[in-house]
Amino acid sequence: RRARAALLVSVVVTIALYWLPMGQALAYPLVLLSTLAHELGHGIAAMLVGGSFESFVLYADGSGAAMTSGNHGRLARAFISAGGLCGPALAASGCFIAGQRGQAARRALLTIGCILVVALVLVIRNLFGWIFVASVAGVCLWGGLKAAKDVAQLMILFVGVQLALSVFSRADYLFTDVAQTGAGSAPSDVAHMAEALFLPYWFWGLFCGSLSLAILWLGLRRFVKATS
């Protein structure tokens, strides 16, 4: 019951953000959160295929860029690009699964906080990104170490809801071949996938969008089954 109530509160608060006079300003950090999940998805994917996560910058306009290195083949390059596109859905699904139990939620927050601290030391390369990631890391570490179990559940499920919604609210990026970031224009992730795997970029946008929806459905399905 506590888990279902926490999820319901998260959804209600999220809806309220779009109706409050200052709702867009209050939701601004949540946009940055989805960018963080996206760029970390690229970096983690690169490490999974034997490459290196070199750096990550986060810009005030909500965009970001991850730099990776490695002698990658076509499939590996496409996997790294897809890692960013599916990163928010994977993170959201993980939050839903962790939100089933209070103790699991605390462990998840502690894990996220530790990962972000490592990112601060090793890969964050601009001041704005450092300040934001340090703030998120601090909140997560507090939630993992000090928050009551019901508060930790609410925190992790609220993050899950925001990341899940970003799959839809930022879906237009799946169908453009040019990415506009704080550093200027560059080929988008789906354009990189098209270059590596030959099919048109919109196909890979549809593929990654469908995969993200499937990942979200699996996470929510597991949450619903565990809390029924």
Side-chain angles (χ1 to χ4, degrees):
R1 288 195 300 269
R2 186 173 63 193
R4 292 197 298 271
L7 181 62
L8 179 60
V9 169
S10 299
V11 173
V12 171
V13 170
T14 300
I15 294 172
L17 287 176
Y18 291 92
W19 289 93
L20 291 172
M22 297 293 292
Q24 294 298 321
L26 294 173
Y28 171 66
L30 305 177
V31 174
L32 298 176
L33 195 64
S34 69
T35 302
L36 177 60
H38 177 104
E39 302 303 342
L40 289 180
H42 285 311
I44 293 171
M47 290 188 289
L48 288 176
V49 295
S52 299
F53 188 8
E54 298 292 342
S55 64
F56 161 51
V57 292
L58 179 66
Y59 299 108
D61 64 358
S63 64
M67 303 299 176
T68 64
S69 64
N71 187 20
H72 304 304
R74 292 180 180 273
L75 287 176
R77 295 201 304 273
F79 179 76
I80 294 169
S81 295
L85 296 172
C86 298
L90 285 165
S93 187
C95 288
F96 293 140
I97 292 171
Q100 297 169 16
R101 299 288 184 271
Q103 190 59 37
R106 292 183 67 181
R107 287 195 296 267
L109 288 169
L110 184 59
T111 300
I112 294 169
C114 290
I115 291 172
L116 294 181
V117 169
V118 172
L120 282 170
V121 175
L122 298 180
V123 295
I124 306 297
R125 291 293 182 267
N126 69 325
L127 180 60
F128 180 82
W130 203 97
I131 292 172
F132 178 76
V133 174
S135 301
V136 175
V139 171
C140 289
L141 290 174
W142 175 86
L145 295 172
K146 298 293 185 180
K149 291 181 180 179
D150 55 345
V151 174
Q153 273 185 295
L154 180 59
M155 290 173 66
I156 200 71
L157 289 172
F158 182 74
V159 170
V161 170
Q162 306 317 309
L163 293 175
L165 288 176
S166 74
V167 173
F168 300 93
S169 64
R170 308 185 81 176
D172 56 332
Y173 180 65
L174 295 171
F175 301 100
T176 179
D177 59 346
V178 177
Q180 300 292 339
T181 72
S185 300
S188 67
D189 293 324
V190 288
H192 285 302
M193 294 182 72
E195 180 184 6
L197 301 178
F198 302 112
L199 292 171
Y201 70 87
W202 56 262
F203 173 87
W204 296 112
L206 186 62
F207 173 82
C208 289
S210 300
L211 182 58
S212 293
L213 291 178
I215 292 168
L216 285 177
W217 181 82
L218 289 172
L220 280 170
R221 181 171 179 268
R222 183 166 174 181
F223 176 87
V224 170
K225 288 183 67 176
T227 57
S228 298

